[in-house]
């Protein structure tokens, strides 16, 4: 491949357009059309790939539905009741509010599937609760919220896992199951860091919730706590597909917020639908661009070329996974996670297959890496979200997030070298991998 080849020119064009501020999805479509023109291929193929991929793939429909479900939970009182429940459980310990932050992310992860939704929803409330009266530094609260939001797309449901299933043909249901234990491991690593910091910095002890109040608080939060059960129960019982379960999650959040809690009006509903439509459109445009560009990558036979190149290196499966971890952690410093999932991962999957790496295990390793990229400077998207919410500098948040990032990298290493840890639950429910 020479520098003046159509593929090289299209890559340069995409990079320049992206740096000039064009959304990456649009840049990929423009670069792909340029490639087809330079290669003398039918430029209408771009539209064909886009339409066939977007309208012929039932899986993609789950993405906007999970986004809508998260929006409906955030505008209602579901998140408030969830926080009250978490505070009643772990708020009584030193650094209890920080532990509440971790626990609510574990529970909320079973509802939204989006790290940004977690940070923008319960994250705002946790920021106010933790900084009230100077209990915690604003930068520490923001860093912890960014770190705990990473758990969201690891514990099912998960929008990144849906996108990985789109490019790998792995089972969404087994991917969801595979994320449970790694997600809990990530949460445990965060709780350890919080416990160590609580003693070192003498974090406050919250007023314990009387035990007689616990049944009432649990009863009030029960409809919210039941959402993961309804959602995942539908998938694993075979009653619903993941896409149908996403629709059920959105409907459940709407019914609980409007009819049971009576905390959402028609105007709130309109705003949440509008916000989720905007988010879905931006994600959809990125998926569309990736579908067109992946066709270009296939025409150039890039995945097979890389597979043959790496085969010549005689890599072991573990060495390949370590190299993938390093590559994805570095890319996470610069690129948005969805871009990595849709552009880089399809190139690596043939090699993973050739080395006998289970695609569910590989998918979990990939998703964890991409989630860590959300809190990795300089481009960590969650860091920027929390700087706006907490009104602190990016440098302060980075300083406080580093211990959590280090702990989660250790957890990633455990997940990488222990495929049985990831595959234990899927195999328990019938996975043959």
């Amino acid at each position: 491949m020479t520098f003046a080849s159509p593929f090289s020119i299209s890559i340069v064009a995409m990079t320049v357009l992206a740096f000039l501020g064009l959304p990456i999805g649009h840049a990929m479509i423009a670069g792909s059309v340029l490639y087809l023109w330079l290669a003398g291929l039918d430029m209408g193929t771009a539209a064909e790939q886009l339409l066939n991929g977007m309208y012929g793939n039932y899986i993609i429909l789950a993405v906007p539905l999970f986004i809508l479900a998260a929006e409906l939970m955030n505008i209602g009182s579901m998140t408030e009741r969830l926080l009250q429940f978490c505070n009643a459980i772990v708020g009584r310990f030193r650094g209890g509010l920080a532990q509440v932050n971790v626990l609510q992310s574990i529970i909320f992860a079973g509802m939204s599937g989006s790290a940004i939704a977690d940070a923008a929803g319960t994250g705002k409330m946790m920021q106010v609760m933790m900084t009230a009266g100077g209990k915690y530094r604003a930068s520490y609260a923001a860093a912890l919220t960014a770190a705990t939001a990473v758990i969201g797309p690891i514990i099912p449901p998960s929008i990144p896992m849906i996108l990985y299933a789109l490019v790998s043909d792995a089972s969404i249901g087994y991917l969801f199951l595979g994320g449970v234990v790694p997600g809990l491991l990530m949460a445990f690593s965060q709780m350890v860091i919080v416990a160590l910091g609580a003693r070192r910095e003498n974090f406050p002890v919250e007023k314990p919730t009387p035990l007689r109040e616990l049944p009432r608080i649990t009863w009030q939060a029960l409809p919210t706590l039941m959402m993961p059960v309804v959602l995942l129960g539908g998938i694993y019982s075979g009653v619903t597909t993941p896409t149908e379960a996403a629709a059920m999650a959105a409907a459940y959040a709407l019914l609980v917020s409007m009819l049971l809690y009576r905390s959402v009006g028609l105007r709130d509903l309109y705003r949440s639908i509008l916000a989720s439509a905007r988010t879905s459109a931006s994600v959809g445009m990125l998926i569309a661009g990736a579908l067109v560009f992946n066709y270009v990558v296939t025409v150039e036979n890039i995945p097979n070329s890389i597979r043959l190149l790496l085969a010549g290196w005689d890599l072991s499966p573990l060495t390949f996974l370590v190299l993938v971890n390093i590559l994805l952690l570095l890319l996470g410093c610069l690129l948005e996670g969805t871009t990595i999932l849709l552009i880089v991962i399809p190139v690596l999957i043939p090699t993973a297959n050739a080395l006998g790496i289970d695609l569910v295990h590989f998918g979990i390793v990939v998703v964890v890496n991409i989630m860590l990229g959300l809190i990795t400077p300089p481009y960590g998207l969650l860091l920027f979200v929390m700087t706006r919410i907490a009104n602190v500098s990016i440098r302060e948040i980075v300083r406080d997030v580093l211990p959590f990032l280090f702990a989660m990298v250790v957890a990633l290493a455990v997940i990488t070298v222990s495929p049985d840890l990831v595959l234990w639950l899927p195999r328990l429910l019938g996975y043959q991998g």
Side-chain angles (χ1 to χ4, degrees), residues 327-353:
L327 173 65
L328 295 183
L329 288 173
L330 291 175
L331 289 176
C333 296
L334 304 170
L335 297 176
E336 196 268 333
T338 306
T339 306
I340 298 172
L341 258 176
L342 296 173
I343 299 301
V344 178
I345 301 308
V347 176
L348 299 175
I349 286 173
T351 304
N353 252 329

Side-chain angles (χ1 to χ4, degrees), residues 179-247:
V180 173
V181 174
L184 294 176
L185 179 62
M186 303 286 278
F188 175 75
S189 70
Q190 294 174 357
M191 285 181 161
V192 170
I193 297 299
V194 167
L196 294 175
R199 294 186 177 279
R200 185 177 64 252
E201 301 196 30
N202 196 29
F203 287 155
V205 178
E206 301 300 310
K207 182 180 178 181
T209 301
L211 291 178
R212 66 177 180 275
E213 292 291 314
L214 193 57
R216 179 185 62 82
I217 293 172
T218 304
W219 176 254
Q220 289 179 343
L222 188 61
T224 302
L225 297 173
M226 283 299 294
M227 186 168 175
V229 178
V230 171
L231 177 63
L232 300 177
I235 295 174
Y236 299 125
S237 66
V239 175
T240 65
T241 66
T243 302
E244 291 165 347

Side-chain angles (χ1 to χ4, degrees), residues 10-11 13-34 46-47 49-50 54 279-296 335-340 342-343 379:
S10 69
I11 293 295
M14 275 188 283
T15 305
V16 170
L17 290 172
F19 273 114
L20 289 176
L22 191 69
I24 185 65
H26 295 73
M28 283 190 287
I29 292 174
S32 301
V33 171
L34 176 62
Q49 292 295 317
L50 190 155
M54 293 296 288
T279 305
S280 299
S282 63
V283 174
M285 204 65 215
L286 189 57
I287 294 173
L291 290 169
V292 178
F293 182 67
N294 282 342
Y295 173 76
V296 172
L335 297 176
E336 196 268 333
T338 306
T339 306
I340 298 172
L342 296 173
I343 299 301
Y379 184 74

Side-chain angles (χ1 to χ4, degrees), residues 196-326:
L196 294 175
R199 294 186 177 279
R200 185 177 64 252
E201 301 196 30
N202 196 29
F203 287 155
V205 178
E206 301 300 310
K207 182 180 178 181
T209 301
L211 291 178
R212 66 177 180 275
E213 292 291 314
L214 193 57
R216 179 185 62 82
I217 293 172
T218 304
W219 176 254
Q220 289 179 343
L222 188 61
T224 302
L225 297 173
M226 283 299 294
M227 186 168 175
V229 178
V230 171
L231 177 63
L232 300 177
I235 295 174
Y236 299 125
S237 66
V239 175
T240 65
T241 66
T243 302
E244 291 165 347
M248 190 166 64
Y252 183 86
L254 177 61
L255 290 173
V256 169
S257 297
M258 289 192 73
L259 301 182
L260 189 60
Y261 291 156
R262 299 182 183 277
S263 58
V264 173
L266 291 178
R267 183 172 296 180
D268 298 320
L269 177 60
Y270 171 75
R271 288 173 181 167
S272 67
I273 291 174
L274 197 62
S276 61
R278 287 172 178 158
T279 305
S280 299
S282 63
V283 174
M285 204 65 215
L286 189 57
I287 294 173
L291 290 169
V292 178
F293 182 67
N294 282 342
Y295 173 76
V296 172
V297 170
T298 303
V299 170
E300 285 286 314
N301 205 22
I302 301 297
N304 192 50
S305 299
I306 291 179
R307 183 182 63 81
L308 293 174
L309 174 65
L310 293 177
W313 293 359
D314 197 25
L315 296 175
S316 68
L318 180 58
T319 305
F320 174 74
L321 287 173
V322 170
L323 291 176
V324 168
N325 281 337
I326 295 171

Side-chain angles (χ1 to χ4, degrees), residues 131-169:
T131 55
K135 296 176 183 176
Y136 295 83
R137 285 181 286 108
S139 61
Y140 179 86
L144 177 58
T145 298
T148 58
V150 166
I151 301 172
I154 300 172
I155 296 177
S158 168
I159 292 174
M161 287 184 194
I162 293 172
L163 297 179
Y164 173 80
L166 178 67
V167 300
S168 69
D169 288 329

